[in-house]
Amino acid sequence: IPPVSAAVARTFDPPPGDGEENNDLVVNATDGDLTSAWKTVCYDDRYLGSKTNGVGLVLDLGAAHTGTFTFNVGSAPYQVKVFGAPDGTEPATYDGWGSAVKKFSGGDPATESVTFSTPVRYVLVSFNELAPDASCTGNRYRGAIQEVSFS
């Protein structure tokens, strides 16, 4: 099955966030290069402090599809949740996304996937735990997604 070519990635940082989550790095999550990544901003708390629901990336498939969402987590330890939403307006809040379809956690970077048997247009992968990152100064924690795809 070929990947969904119309897919567009963007960040998800709803209130109390400011909507900005290294938006300029999103292209790295769909460039086919595992050496690049979209990274969250640096946080002072591995569990994202006041952003108890998390932050993440949305993959907009352009139309509803069934298939498998695959993502490469480039930071560890990590906890992430994956959500799906049908055609229509993209959910603007975590309540709008409903319950997570699947939760993942790991102590090492990993490739994870979720198969959707009900058609989804939007897929959200959201961090709930971030890893220490030596490139962060002051706030020490961030998450990294190297690639996202849907096929």
Side-chain angles (χ1 to χ4, degrees):
I1 299 173
V4 175
S5 61
V8 175
R10 56 185 156 264
T11 61
F12 188 74
D13 184 22
D18 60 5
E20 170 60 40
E21 198 63 43
N22 283 333
N23 298 356
D24 57 321
L25 299 178
V26 171
V27 64
N28 294 338
T30 57
D31 64 0
D33 181 357
L34 289 174
T35 65
S36 68
W38 165 77
K39 296 179 179 181
T40 68
V41 298
C42 298
Y43 287 86
D44 65 353
D45 180 340
R46 72 187 305 163
Y47 299 107
L48 296 111
S50 66
K51 295 183 183 180
T52 54
N53 288 319
V55 297
L57 280 181
V58 172
L59 191 62
D60 178 349
L61 306 175
H65 296 273
T66 57
T68 301
F69 173 69
T70 302
F71 60 100
N72 304 86
V73 182
S75 55
Y78 65 89
Q79 290 180 41
V80 297
K81 294 178 183 174
V82 176
F83 301 81
D87 252 337
T89 304
E90 178 182 325
T93 64
Y94 278 96
D95 287 345
W97 284 94
S99 298
V101 175
K102 197 162 182 183
K103 299 175 184 179
F104 299 91
S105 62
D108 294 302
T111 300
E112 307 282 13
S113 62
V114 177
T115 298
F116 290 93
S117 54
T118 302
V120 292
R121 173 175 174 172
Y122 305 102
V123 181
L124 166 63
V125 56
S126 177
F127 278 102
N128 292 104
E129 180 183 7
L130 305 173
D133 185 325
S135 67
C136 291
T137 55
N139 297 338
R140 307 181 328 120
Y141 301 95
R142 72 166 23 155
I145 300 289
Q146 295 163 310
E147 286 295 310
V148 293
S149 64
F150 195 95
S151 57

